[in-house]
Amino acid sequence: MRPGLVIRLLVLGLLVAFIFAPGAFGWAFAPLNRPNQPPIYTQSSLLRLTLSHLGIVLGAVLAASIVAIGLAIVVTRRAGEDFLPLSRSLANIGQTFPPVAVLALAVPILGFGNGPTFVALFLYGLLPIFENALTGLTATPPAVREAARGMGMTGWQRLVGVELPLALPVILAGVRLSIVISLATATIGSTVAASTLGEVIIAGLLSNNIAFILQGGLIVAVLAVLIYDGLSAIERRLGRRGGAPLPAA
């Protein structure tokens, strides 16, 4: 077993242990506290907050992936080429407005809770997935497309059987980037009562408890690194299997 994999498994094991039994790690955070401050955040379950945080992120990225890849497919067909500028403008909406502004606009409509955070992450995740899907679908070698046509494949069969499989590593790179960005961005959702790990960080800021801030930040950071590495490994495997160039992102 490679040393890098052993380290990742060890980090994952420590993360799971901390989320399920944070009290056992109180000794590690106690030196960061002021006198009479608790070393571990206990106002809410870290397991519940972590699962909720991941649920909001993965749900938003899934929705963004469906919309962004769908738009990319439409604009790479001959009938939809004219809609490319409009589609790109739609995908850019999330990058134009900061997530905090989206939260502020969404709260009056959706109320406090997870809804505004979901919308902010959905909009923020559209652009990287759309651009990578567009790149992957337009990079299919013309010779491959002609060979598929020569075999009598319909447009739908070429898309599903040839273009999407070849573009999948590049598309997955966009999804990976969107997930990593969303994991960090989701922490601000706790400012509008979303159930995320930002709750731990905000509690630490309000009470000047460095241990709380570190706990929330470490869980988010470790999740981001592990998910990033896992998706990168899948991309490399898909790239080798499909013979497609590995994504640079």
Side-chain angles (χ1 to χ4, degrees), residues 65-75:
S65 298
I66 293 172
V67 173
I69 295 172
L71 284 175
I73 290 173
V74 169
V75 299

Side-chain angles (χ1 to χ4, degrees), residues 56-89:
I56 295 171
V57 168
L58 295 180
V61 172
L62 176 61
S65 298
I66 293 172
V67 173
I69 295 172
L71 284 175
I73 290 173
V74 169
V75 299
T76 53
R77 306 303 101 182
R78 184 170 300 175
E81 290 177 350
D82 293 340
F83 295 98
L84 177 57
L86 176 60
S87 298
R88 186 163 270 143
S89 297

Side-chain angles (χ1 to χ4, degrees), residues 10 12 20-21 24 26-27 50 52-53 59 80 95-96 141 143 156 167 180 183 186 192 211 219 232 246:
L10 179 61
L12 176 61
F20 275 87
W27 59 271
T50 301
S52 178
H53 191 108
Q95 305 293 326
T96 303
W156 174 254
V180 172
L183 279 169
V192 292
I219 295 175
S232 294
L246 295 178

Side-chain angles (χ1 to χ4, degrees), residues 101-175:
V102 176
L103 289 176
L105 293 172
V107 165
I109 301 172
L110 301 176
F112 288 91
N114 294 344
T117 304
F118 181 92
V119 172
L121 297 182
F122 166 77
L123 293 176
Y124 213 57
L126 282 174
L127 184 61
I129 302 173
F130 174 76
E131 290 294 344
N132 277 49
L134 191 62
T135 299
L137 289 171
T138 55
T140 305
V144 174
R145 297 186 185 187
E146 289 302 321
R149 288 192 186 95
M151 294 172 61
M153 298 177 71
T154 64
W156 174 254
Q157 290 173 330
R158 291 196 300 272
L159 173 65
V160 175
V162 178
E163 295 179 49
L164 282 177
L166 289 176
L168 190 56
V170 184
I171 295 173
L172 194 56
V175 174

